[in-house]
Amino acid sequence: MALCRKAHERKFETGRAQILTLFEIEPAGLAGAGAPGSDVVPISVCSLEKITHADLLHALACGFDVIYLQACPGPQGREHQRQEVELVRALGGLGRVLLFDGATGLDRRLAARLLPFPSVAPEVLAMGSRRDTARASAAALLPSDTSHVPLPEQAPYGSVSLDESLCNSCSSCVWVCPSDALSLTENGGALSFVESLCTQCGLCVSICPQRALSMTPGMDLTAYAVLPHLLAGQGGNTVPEPGNFDDAGAVADPYQDAEAGLPFAEAVISPAPETRHTGRA
């Protein structure tokens, strides 16, 4: 947070691009490296494997324009690091997080002229959990009209789909879910899902005796990602509440006033149903 705040202030005051360099072993010549119109901020970290996509996304959204990340020394660490960087690139950091091994080519890269990207105040995005920070940072980095981002396999974000023809309502998936992303509604015990809570651990899919569930990695950047909705059919579509249909049988827009024709006029927001599993409303 402190690093992002200082970078944001420098960029706002000077217009210079901000370059963050993260390493365990300091590359030779890093201290004298510089770039015209840029500030290089070298930071030594205790463990490169502890740097996650949430850290990198927050840094890019809140002050830094490019991040040079030293590659982990071991193959296992490198694979984990590769997955984290791949997530960052998919969530708005494409071309802005670069891995380097030792000092090879780093001084030349640091000398390249960079133009600063727009950023927001660090305090705006660092709220809630690390997952919340990552989601908010991705929303700030991606185009404003982006509502859903497909992600690579093994990503810790995504949706769950239900094949109703196979489901026998055994509730095994609800009881095994470690994050409370799945729950049962009080009315009829329908299966409810909150995407922002799902870590795509796969426990629900593996325990389902009917093989009725499947997962799709991705990130929903709309407000509906944090709200529970009923699972129905392949793709995890929302089941409309009774009374939300117009005369033609189509789902009515709850944010459109029929008489005034103005969006958000007298919108009625119903509370999410209480769940048997969590007691959360």
Side-chain angles (χ1 to χ4, degrees), residues 82-107:
R82 183 195 64 78
Q83 293 177 355
E84 294 294 315
V85 172
E86 190 176 0
L87 262 180
V88 175
R89 290 170 176 167
L91 292 171
L94 183 63
R96 296 178 62 181
V97 177
L98 303 171
L99 293 172
F100 69 93
D101 193 354
T104 306
L106 180 60
D107 53 350

Side-chain angles (χ1 to χ4, degrees), residues 2 19 52 54 57 115 117 123 159 182 184 197 207 230 266 281:
I19 302 174
T52 70
L57 285 168
L115 295 176
F117 288 83
E123 294 83 357
S159 61
L182 288 170
L184 294 175
L197 298 179
I207 202 172
L230 302 184
E266 299 184 6

